[in-house]
Amino acid sequence: MKLNIFANQEQLHEAAAQTIIELLRQKPDAVLGLATGGTPVGIYEALAAAVRRGEVSFARATTFNLDEYVGLPPGHPETYRFYMEQHLFRHIDIPPEQTHIPDGNAPELERECERYERLLETAGRIDLMLLGLGHNGHIGFNEPGRVLHSRTHVAVLHPQTRKANARFFRTPEEVPTRAITMGLGSILKARTILLVVKGADKADIVHRALTGPLTTECPASLLQLHPHLVVMLDEEAATKIKRAASG
Ligand code: F6R
C-alpha cells in the first residue's frame, strides 16, 4: 500500500487528478472506475481544468461508475448520472457512449446488474478505480454485514449511509433505500485502486479499514489485499493512522 498524506484538500485533489492524468497520457484508452459523493468533486474540478488547458484528453477513455440509486426519476439532480454530467462529463471530451453508469430505473434490476457486469467484463480490467470511503466502511454501496457480493448487485442501503447522504436531499425520507453497485470482485480486479479519504469524521474508519482485521463488517478492509492500493488522505483523515504509526 502506498500512503500519501496531504496538508490540505487542494493538494490532495491535484495529486489524485495528476494520477489519473498520468495514466491517460501513458494509456489514452484507459478504463477508469469512478465514484460520486462529496470526496471526488475537487478531483473532477482539477481534471476538468486540465482538459481545458489541453493537458489531457479523455477522448479514448472509458468510464464505469461504481453505483447508482434505484428509483430516482431520470434527470433527478441526485442521480449519479446527473452528478457525473454536472461535475465531470460535460467539462471533458469523453464521448457519452464511453461513459457507463448502472440504470437505477431499469424495469428488471437483476437484468440490469447482469448487463453492467457483462459490460465490465467486455471492457477488460479497470486500469484505475477511484474510491471514496463511507463512514461505515462501505465502498461503492457494498455495505457492512454478514456477506459481501463479488458482482454487480442491488444493495439495500445501510441506515447510516442514508443518513450520511441525506445532506444531498431536501428531506431524509427522499434518500433511496436501494442502489445498484459494483461488487467487491469487480473493484478488487482493478489494476490500481486509488482510495481518497478526507475529513476528521473519517479518521476512525480509514484507520480501521487499512489496519484492522479483514471483515465483511468493514468492506473496505478487503482493500488491504490489493497489490496496488494507493491511499490519499488529508491531514484530518490521517490523524489516527499517523498516531498508530508513530507508536
Ligand atoms: C459513491 C460511492 C460511495 C462514496 C462514499 C463516501 O459513488 O460509491 O461509496 O464514495 O459514501 O461518500 P462521500 O464522498 O460523500 O463522503
Side-chain angles (χ1 to χ4, degrees):
M1 173 177 94
K2 232 164 87 185
L3 174 64
N4 299 299
I5 300 170
F6 296 90
N8 58 54
Q9 297 202 359
E10 287 67 42
Q11 286 178 16
L12 188 162
H13 298 153
E14 280 302 327
Q18 211 48 49
T19 305
I20 296 171
I21 291 167
E22 272 158 30
L23 168 66
L24 284 170
R25 285 195 186 135
Q26 281 168 22
K27 190 174 180 187
D29 61 348
V31 180
L32 302 171
L34 299 178
T36 56
T39 305
V41 172
I43 302 171
Y44 294 154
E45 273 171 19
L47 288 174
V51 170
R52 268 197 305 277
R53 292 193 299 265
E55 292 168 7
V56 68
S57 170
F58 285 76
R60 293 175 56 204
T62 304
T63 65
F64 283 91
N65 266 76
L66 277 167
D67 39 25
E68 177 62 281
Y69 288 122
V70 166
L72 287 182
H76 187 291
E78 294 311 327
T79 58
Y80 287 163
R81 169 54 79 180
F82 189 93
Y83 170 108
M84 289 308 300
E85 296 296 339
Q86 189 189 23
H87 291 293
L88 187 66
F89 296 154
R90 75 159 71 137
H91 307 289
I92 62 174
D93 54 346
I94 193 162
E97 62 279 13
Q98 287 161 221
T99 68
H100 304 287
I101 303 182
D103 177 2
N105 279 301
E108 290 184 54
L109 294 175
E110 292 306 326
R111 271 192 183 211
E112 174 58 10
C113 294
E114 281 162 28
R115 182 191 72 87
Y116 205 65
E117 197 61 38
R118 269 199 308 277
L119 275 177
L120 278 164
E121 274 162 26
T122 311
R125 271 170 85 186
I126 290 175
D127 290 292
L128 185 136
M129 177 80 242
L130 175 63
L131 292 180
L133 177 64
H135 292 95
N136 61 1
H138 75 207
I139 45 178
F141 280 129
N142 293 278
E143 299 281 29
R146 277 186 301 115
V147 293
L148 290 171
H149 298 271
S150 176
R151 295 163 67 86
T152 304
H153 60 282
V154 177
V156 175
L157 301 187
H158 194 280
Q160 203 179 343
T161 301
R162 293 189 68 227
K163 204 168 146 201
N165 289 5
R167 69 192 195 279
F168 299 118
F169 290 81
R170 274 182 311 159
T171 63
E173 294 71 38
E174 276 177 69
V175 184
T177 54
R178 292 183 302 162
I180 294 179
T181 181
M182 252 185 226
L184 259 303
S186 319
I187 293 172
L188 290 171
K189 239 188 321 183
R191 288 194 168 84
T192 298
I193 295 183
L194 174 55
L195 175 70
V196 179
V197 189
K198 305 188 294 193
D201 53 325
K202 301 250 179 98
D204 274 330
I205 192 61
V206 76
H207 172 257
R208 203 176 127 207
L210 298 178
T211 66
L214 269 60
T215 161
T216 58
E217 293 300 335
C218 179
S221 65
L222 273 77
L223 296 176
Q224 292 179 40
L225 294 172
H226 197 277
H228 296 112
L229 173 65
V230 180
V231 181
M232 294 191 177
L233 308 179
D234 67 358
E235 282 286 350
E236 293 189 336
T239 47
K240 203 156 173 197
I241 281 197
K242 277 192 1 190
R243 231 179 294 141
S246 65

